[in-house]
């Protein structure tokens, strides 16, 4: 296992996109500022999608305008197509994350496009960046472990997408367990297979805790040598196009586990707990994070 794990905080995007309460631009900017005060240096800030389909993500340009560039910090914008890429470039994101679904069933419902069509969009974006410049590009392969509509997703399908991303020059590939169906053994096998197909790409993992295996999967990924993991402060989140989807693994819970193992993350656990409680209050719900409810151990003396 690596001595340091880098955590990409996804609470401000994936965390908020499926919540019943749509926060204002000011509240979302405040959330990002609080997360960065916890030591977060890389986070999903906005999503350049149609606000009619995902109203919680409206105001991406206003949020980026309120976040002046700071060296050493990367505010990521999610894009699904060339229009989203153009918006992300114009808004000045530090990094753009393209999503390709690993199944046609989910891709058509989530993005209105088949896997083949999404790969064509990915190549078009990568080509545009090569010709015109733009922020660094990463790829998330969503439903990389299972689809709510098509069922099991073959490993070969995930590997084929990763191979195409590597050929397009994309430097980081994330495997997303969008609906929380993965297990630690499958995680290890899939990481090893993707690593062989995309030898020069950095691998990242994105887990949801729908079936209470999220932290176990994160541990398996870390043991397999992956040193970039996604997590969401408070454990909030889910995909609006995935039935019964629940939140991402909680940043606090992940940091606590890694801290106990002596793995460095650079994040302030007490401030993360405080921020998890703050965002949960804003959303009017109890925080899914176990650590936010139970607190750290050992507790500070009275």
């Amino acid at each position: 296992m690596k001595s340091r794990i880098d955590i990409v905080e996804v609470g401000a995007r994936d965390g908020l996109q499926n919540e019943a309460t749509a926060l204002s631009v000011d509240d979302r900017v405040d959330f990002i500022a609080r997360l960065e005060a916890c030591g977060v240096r890389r986070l999903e800030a906005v999503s350049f999608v149609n606000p009619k389909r995902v109203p919680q993500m409206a105001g991406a340009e206003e949020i980026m305008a309120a976040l002046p560039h700071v060296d050493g910090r990367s505010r990521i914008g999610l894009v699904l197509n060339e229009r989203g890429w153009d918006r992300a470039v114009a808004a000045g994101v530090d990094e753009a994350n393209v999503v390709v679904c690993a199944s046609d069933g989910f891709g058509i419902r989530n993005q209105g496009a088949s896997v083949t069509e999404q790969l064509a969009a990915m190549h078009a974006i990568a080509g545009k960046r090569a010709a015109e410049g733009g922020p660094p590009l990463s790829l998330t392969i969503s439903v990389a472990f299972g689809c709510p509509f098509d069922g099991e997703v073959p490993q070969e399908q995930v590997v084929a997408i990763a191979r195409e991303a590597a050929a397009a020059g994309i430097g980081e590939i994330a495997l997303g367990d969008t609906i929380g169906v993965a297990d630690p053994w499958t995680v290890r096998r899939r990481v090893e297979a993707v690593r062989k197909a995309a030898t020069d790409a950095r691998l990242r993992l994105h887990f949801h805790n729908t079936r209470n295996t999220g932290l176990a999967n994160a541990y398996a990924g870390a043991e397999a040598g992956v040193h970039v993991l996604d997590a969401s402060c408070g454990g909030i989140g889910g995909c609006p196009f995935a039935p019964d989807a629940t939140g991402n693994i909680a940043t606090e819970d992940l940091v606590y586990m890694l801290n106990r193992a002596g793995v460095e993350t650079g994040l302030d656990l007490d401030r993360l707990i405080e921020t998890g409680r703050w965002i949960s209050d804003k959303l009017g719900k109890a925080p899914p994070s176990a650590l936010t409810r139970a607190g750290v151990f050992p507790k500070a003396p009275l």
Side-chain angles (χ1 to χ4, degrees):
M1 188 184 293
K2 302 287 185 181
S3 61
R4 179 183 174 90
I5 298 289
D6 294 324
I7 295 176
V8 177
E9 171 59 53
V10 300
R13 198 281 301 174
D14 198 22
L16 295 179
Q17 71 172 2
N18 198 39
E19 295 294 336
T21 301
L23 298 187
S24 68
V25 166
D26 287 345
D27 280 341
R28 288 158 63 194
V29 170
D30 190 5
F31 187 25
I32 291 168
R34 289 169 183 263
L35 290 168
E36 292 186 336
C38 297
V40 170
R41 291 296 174 264
R42 194 172 173 214
L43 58 80
E44 287 191 345
V46 292
S47 179
F48 295 96
V49 295
N50 187 338
K52 292 181 180 178
R53 285 176 62 82
V54 190
Q56 296 90 335
M57 292 291 100
E61 283 81 1
E62 290 87 344
I63 288 172
M64 288 307 305
L67 296 172
H69 176 77
V70 178
D71 287 340
R73 297 183 187 178
S74 183
R75 286 75 173 253
I76 304 168
L78 180 137
V79 302
L80 303 181
N81 48 41
E82 285 186 79
R83 172 168 167 72
W85 166 256
D86 291 340
R87 288 178 62 196
V89 172
V93 299
D94 300 300
E95 179 184 339
N97 181 240
V98 181
V99 176
V100 171
C101 304
S103 71
D104 284 334
F106 196 76
I108 289 168
R109 289 168 175 82
N110 185 56
Q111 296 173 213
S114 66
V115 174
T116 299
E117 291 168 328
Q118 292 170 69
L119 285 170
M122 178 197 73
H123 282 293
I125 291 168
K128 204 166 188 177
R129 178 178 180 270
E132 303 173 5
L137 203 55
S138 60
L139 171 77
T140 292
I141 304 175
S142 69
V143 294
F145 297 91
C147 171
F149 310 109
D150 293 354
E152 298 286 355
V153 171
Q155 179 171 287
E156 295 74 21
Q157 172 76 342
V158 177
V159 168
I161 295 170
R163 187 177 291 116
E164 286 213 36
I170 294 176
E172 181 179 85
I173 299 170
L175 305 184
D177 185 19
T178 312
I179 60 170
V181 295
D183 62 81
W185 298 271
T186 302
V187 168
R188 291 184 69 96
R189 288 194 299 269
R190 218 146 276 204
V191 165
E192 291 167 3
V194 170
R195 185 177 282 130
K196 290 177 182 176
T199 54
D200 294 331
R202 181 172 57 248
L203 297 188
R204 185 171 120 215
L205 298 173
H206 177 106
F207 295 117
H208 286 243
N209 204 38
T210 313
R211 290 163 179 83
N212 208 32
T213 57
L215 281 181
N217 292 333
Y219 171 78
E223 284 243 302
V226 174
H227 65 278
V228 187
L229 299 171
D230 288 1
S232 172
C233 186
I236 60 173
C239 178
F241 304 102
D244 303 319
T246 55
N248 302 264
I249 57 173
T251 312
E252 308 93 295
D253 298 357
L254 178 60
V255 170
Y256 174 78
M257 180 180 76
L258 293 172
N259 282 356
R260 296 282 292 183
V263 177
E264 178 58 45
T265 64
L267 301 185
D268 185 319
L269 189 51
D270 289 329
R271 295 189 81 158
L272 281 170
I273 292 172
E274 178 184 326
T275 303
R277 289 171 178 159
W278 176 86
I279 191 61
S280 296
D281 287 345
K282 283 286 181 182
L283 296 171
K285 60 185 287 185
S289 162
L291 199 78
T292 294
R293 296 193 302 272
V296 297
F297 177 84
K299 296 183 182 296
L302 297 175

